[in-house]
Amino acid sequence: MKKLIYISFFIGCFTYAQEADVKAKKKALRTSKNLTWEGNKELSKDNFIQAEANYRMAISKSDENTAASFNLGNAYYTNETYSEAFERYKEAGELATSKIEKHKAYHNMGNVFMKNKAYEKAVDAYKQALRNNPTDEETRYNLALAKEMLKKQQEEEKKNNQQNKDKENKDDKKDQEKNKDKGDNKENDKGKEDEKKDGEDKKDGEDKKDGEDKGDQGNEKNEDEKDGKGDNKKDKKKPNDKGDKPQEQKQPRPNQLSKQQIKNLLEAMQNEEKKVQEKMDAKKVKGVKVKNEKDW
């Protein structure tokens, strides 16, 4: 009998605790919803700061109020703080117990991905939303748009990758041609240096050869002079056929001229000298140069 009383007592206490817990959760949910309503009211007045504060308090009061997270996500989305909006939509989707609530959360996550041009993730989010509500035409339209944007994005990325690859190949080709030109210029410079060196060596050889030729000529000249001097000396020392002493030449005796012949001869010589002097004077006069004045 006592055991039965104890069991009934424990059951009663457990039931009372459950009822108290349920009542507390209901009260917290009610408070959370009231705060959510206040947040909606402030948001309609464009009072974002107060609306955000009310939504945050609503979320802290009850984890069953998915509307608070969802509406706070909408507030962030309107304020264009998309990263915060995504976190709140994700939170609402995880807390949601109904497919309708999950559908709304994933739909709005897809909208955030579209704003961030993350089209592949947007496609996945819209597909998840349609799994919870296949009849929603807006989600279906957004999915088709996300697929189209993803296709264009992939084509653009492929085009850019090809252009970058072509540019890299072009740059590599330019570098190769540049290096080749440097090599050719280096070879040309080396060739010019070799030609210059060969020319200098050739010139040095010619100069050396000329010096040697001149030296040879000088030696030959010296030898010739030496030989000539020797020959002259030898000739001087050469005796005459008729003896060592030079042969005396007989001078012709002048003819005897009369005084008149001598006078005529002197006058003729004077006349000839006079003619020669006149010719020389005429040449001197004719040969005088005239200095020209330049007109600047």
Side-chain angles (χ1 to χ4, degrees):
M1 185 69 181
K2 289 181 180 181
K3 291 181 179 181
L4 183 60
I5 294 172
Y6 287 137
I7 292 172
S8 299
F9 177 76
F10 285 120
I11 292 174
C13 291
F14 180 75
T15 303
Y16 177 79
Q18 283 184 330
E19 290 177 355
D21 185 58
V22 170
K23 287 180 180 180
K25 286 183 177 181
K26 286 182 178 181
K27 184 179 179 180
L29 180 59
R30 187 165 55 251
T31 302
S32 177
K33 287 182 177 180
N34 290 335
L35 290 170
T36 302
W37 184 83
E38 291 293 334
N40 295 341
K41 184 179 178 181
E42 295 296 334
L43 191 63
S44 65
K45 296 178 182 179
D46 294 330
N47 190 356
F48 174 80
I49 296 176
Q50 188 59 48
E52 181 185 20
N54 290 330
Y55 289 138
R56 286 183 175 276
M57 285 190 290
I59 293 170
S60 64
K61 291 292 182 181
S62 175
D63 56 3
E64 295 180 3
N65 184 15
T66 58
S69 298
F70 185 84
N71 289 3
L72 181 57
N74 287 342
Y76 284 133
Y77 186 89
T78 303
N79 204 37
E80 296 183 353
T81 51
Y82 300 118
S83 59
E84 293 289 342
F86 175 77
E87 292 298 328
R88 294 303 173 180
Y89 290 143
K90 182 179 179 181
E91 185 179 50
E94 291 173 350
L95 294 175
T97 56
S98 67
K99 289 187 176 183
I100 298 299
E101 290 176 347
K102 286 184 178 295
H103 163 261
K104 290 180 180 180
Y106 283 112
H107 178 94
N108 284 11
M109 278 191 278
N111 292 346
V112 172
F113 286 132
M114 289 291 286
K115 287 290 184 180
N116 291 331
K117 295 183 179 180
Y119 301 120
E120 188 172 1
K121 292 181 178 180
V123 169
D124 294 337
Y126 289 135
K127 286 182 177 180
Q128 189 66 26
L130 286 174
R131 290 189 183 97
N132 289 279
N133 185 9
T135 61
D136 190 278
E137 294 297 330
E138 184 178 354
T139 303
R140 195 177 298 279
Y141 172 82
N142 286 4
L143 175 60
L145 179 62
K147 288 181 177 180
E148 185 66 22
M149 296 302 293
L150 176 61
K151 183 179 179 181
K152 289 182 179 180
Q153 187 182 58
Q154 290 173 344
E155 290 176 353
E156 189 69 22
E157 289 177 355
K158 185 178 180 180
K159 183 178 179 181
N160 292 334
N161 291 334
Q162 185 63 37
Q163 289 178 350
N164 292 334
K165 187 177 180 180
D166 295 339
K167 186 178 180 180
E168 290 176 358
N169 293 334
K170 189 175 181 180
D171 293 339
D172 292 340
K173 188 175 181 180
K174 285 183 178 180
D175 293 337
Q176 291 176 359
E177 292 177 354
K178 189 175 181 181
N179 294 331
K180 184 179 179 181
D181 292 338
K182 287 182 178 179
D184 294 340
N185 293 333
K186 189 174 181 181
E187 290 178 359
N188 293 332
D189 294 339
K190 185 177 180 181
K192 290 180 180 179
E193 290 178 357
D194 293 339
E195 291 178 0
K196 185 177 180 181
K197 187 176 180 181
D198 293 340
E200 292 176 353
D201 294 341
K202 187 176 180 181
K203 186 176 180 181
D204 293 338
E206 291 177 352
D207 293 340
K208 185 176 181 182
K209 185 177 180 181
D210 292 340
E212 291 175 354
D213 294 339
K214 289 181 180 178
D216 294 339
Q217 291 177 1
N219 294 331
E220 291 176 358
K221 186 176 180 181
N222 292 331
E223 291 177 358
D224 292 340
E225 290 176 353
K226 185 176 180 182
D227 293 339
K229 290 180 180 179
D231 292 341
N232 292 333
K233 188 174 181 182
K234 186 177 180 181
D235 291 341
K236 287 182 180 179
K237 293 180 179 180
K238 185 177 180 181
N240 293 326
D241 295 338
K242 293 183 180 182
D244 294 336
K245 295 182 180 180
Q247 185 179 3
E248 295 181 359
Q249 294 181 359
K250 294 181 178 181
Q251 298 292 332
R253 294 176 68 182
N255 295 326
Q256 296 293 329
L257 298 176
S258 64
K259 291 181 178 181
Q260 186 64 36
Q261 288 176 340
I262 292 172
K263 183 180 180 180
N264 292 336
L265 182 62
L266 291 172
E267 289 178 354
M269 290 175 65
Q270 289 176 357
N271 290 332
E272 289 295 330
E273 289 179 359
K274 185 177 181 180
K275 289 180 181 181
V276 171
Q277 187 65 36
E278 289 177 353
K279 288 181 180 181
M280 291 178 67
D281 293 339
K283 286 182 179 181
K284 288 181 181 180
V285 172
K286 187 177 180 181
V288 174
K289 294 183 179 180
V290 180
K291 185 177 180 180
N292 294 325
E293 295 293 337
K294 290 185 178 181
D295 186 8
W296 296 101

